[in-house]
Amino acid sequence: MADPAQARILICDELHPAALDVFRRRGLEPAIRVGMNEDELVEAVAGVDALVVRSATKITRRVIKAADALRVVGRAGIGVDNVDCEAATERGVVVMNTPTGNATTTAEHAIALLCSLARHVPRANARVRGGEWKKKGLMGTELTGKTLGVIGLGRIGRIVAERAQGLRMNVVAYDPFLADAGKSAPLAGVALTNLEDLLATADFITLHVPLSESTRGLLSWEELARVKPGARLINASRGGVVDEEAVLDALVEGRLAGAAFDVLESEPPAPDHPFLARDDVILTPHLGASSSEAQERVAADIATQIADFLLDGVAENAVNAPALGAEAIAEIAPFLLLAEKMGSLLAQRLDGPIRKLELTVGGDIVQHDIEHLRLALLVGCLRRTLQLGVNFVNAPQIARERGIRVLESREDDPYYRQGQIKVRASAPAGGESHLITGAVFGREPRIVRIDDVHLDLPPRGPLLITSHADAPGVVGQIGTILGQHGVNIRRIELGPPAEEGGGLAAGFLTLYEEPGPEVIEAIAALEPIHAVELIHL
Ligand code: NAD
């Protein structure tokens, strides 16, 4: 585009006017069209350089394909579930979010819930409005000197911890990704501990973790059986990290004296949700980020970031691509996608903290700055635990904080001439390590090796990895179970029995549909199956 100031920007969702002010100050005049459906959007995006959304508008693969001039999609807020990031990366379109804009507001909401729980504020309010001016049954508890257990000491968890210290609470925290890095807590006066000790000592427990495979049901029956009797629980993170049935049981039995939820597994809750009938549960409708300051901040942030990108070529908080010129991004996009998927695969295979990543790059791609591949790899690894809080800008700092070292080298004579990426990821000293090699054929990324097995796997969708006895009919048995549950296999590759590991063979099945836990259990129960794991790519 000849003149960056002529860039066409389309705002697709209701956005705080602060965004318009920022754009205009930078000499940009966006168009605003709110509430378009996919067909309307497909028509509207032709020739548009930048799209701005909150959560309502879905930027699908079809929309991205139709957007012939698109260079950036900006989401005012953190979650980019409404943007097909993979399609964007493939086309070299940068997707950016505003990860920090609502952290304070959400942390303050958690503190509001904490105080409300301690002093029964919602119940007392309802009683007075119901015509009763009585204290009976509303005896509160002081916060001073009590212990707050913070689960997840990221951006929001840290603000909550700090504020709670201001209330003179003792704060302990559980965040294995900091603790296993051998780091002290990033806040003075906050002790990092394990989950068991936190549960046994905390008077109030507050959750600030992302929802992921490893945090789903983080607090369930077993954990809630260990809480200090009379503890109170707050969840302003994501529904699903707490097992609601187990909380109900703990409340009924009096192990928990109260609970406050801003988020639920299913939002809004069904009219017969048992929490709705309980006095000892406080519920707010996912209000965490709802303050005028947060909405203004994320709107201004996204406008600033988009203006910086269009006018100065700087991509801050890019979820899927680093600060590169649009042309360079288009060239290396398939490699970035590949490196990110490889990072994600390795983090899932290791299923614990990664201590070292050895990255070896060879082929034509080394003409480009391979720094970006390193960033993409780190983003893929870290998203397993941090999801969208991690981006190409903050990934190196987060990796350092978590004690992850990246060693880089170049390979002079790689097998795949266009470009080959090899990565070994290792757990802390003496632990597991895995090696993956990836290559790009044309513009198609492929995983070509996992440990000792040579493959040709498109890194997309669910991947089932089995370790099984090398006997006839095993694959048939797996296929039958998948078929019975309506799960279609995209591709199967088999590895020969490894010499080490008792002659077990490996299977790699990419699937079209996501298999439920019952499918994995049924496969794991097959006689010849030694182990099975489901990876999401
Ligand atoms: P963040 O990525 O900065 O921090 C998350 C922390 O959780 C990280 O330090 C990570 O190491 C830790 N963690 C990951 N897995 C863990 C585990 N198994 N056990 C303990 N700790 C673990 O994220 P953030 O910005 O602080 O956001 C935290 C949560 O708050 C997210 O789920 C986000 O979606 C949610 N959120 C809710 C609202 C709301 O409206 N209620 C608003 C904003 C964010």
Side-chain angles (χ1 to χ4, degrees), residues 433-467:
S433 101
H434 289 286
L435 175 75
I436 305 190
T437 306
V440 172
F441 304 153
R443 291 188 67 79
E444 286 292 313
R446 287 279 194 276
I447 305 279
V448 294
R449 181 175 169 185
I450 298 182
D451 293 323
D452 290 331
V453 185
H454 292 270
L455 309 151
D456 179 13
L457 276 184
R460 175 178 291 190
L463 167 67
L464 210 56
I465 304 186
T466 60
S467 165

Side-chain angles (χ1 to χ4, degrees), residues 163-176:
R163 304 296 192 266
Q165 286 178 322
L167 292 168
R168 303 285 184 268
M169 297 185 83
N170 305 316
V171 184
V172 295
Y174 166 65
D175 192 321

Side-chain angles (χ1 to χ4, degrees), residues 106 154-156 175-176 209-210 236-238 262 286 288-289 385-386 402:
T106 306
R155 264 184 296 263
I156 296 173
D175 192 321
V209 295
S237 62
R238 280 287 178 265
D262 184 45
H286 207 136
T385 47
L386 292 148
R402 272 140 217 267

Side-chain angles (χ1 to χ4, degrees), residues 315-374:
E316 201 189 333
N317 292 325
V319 179
N320 69 333
L324 271 183
E327 231 169 77
I329 287 181
E331 185 111 347
I332 68 165
F335 288 94
L336 292 179
L337 193 63
L338 175 66
E340 190 179 329
K341 296 284 186 171
M342 289 171 72
S344 164
L345 204 164
L346 283 164
Q348 293 178 66
R349 277 227 95 183
L350 234 58
D351 198 29
I354 293 178
R355 186 59 64 249
K356 190 168 65 173
L357 287 166
E358 293 159 88
L359 166 68
T360 311
V361 184
D364 299 345
I365 187 70
V366 297
Q367 293 160 8
H368 295 274
D369 187 354
I370 64 169
E371 163 73 4
H372 300 104
L373 299 181
R374 185 172 73 94

Side-chain angles (χ1 to χ4, degrees), residues 370-389:
I370 64 169
E371 163 73 4
H372 300 104
L373 299 181
R374 185 172 73 94
L375 293 175
L377 175 69
L378 278 178
V379 165
C381 283
L382 293 168
R383 284 235 172 103
R384 166 125 176 90
T385 47
L386 292 148
Q387 292 189 325
L388 294 163

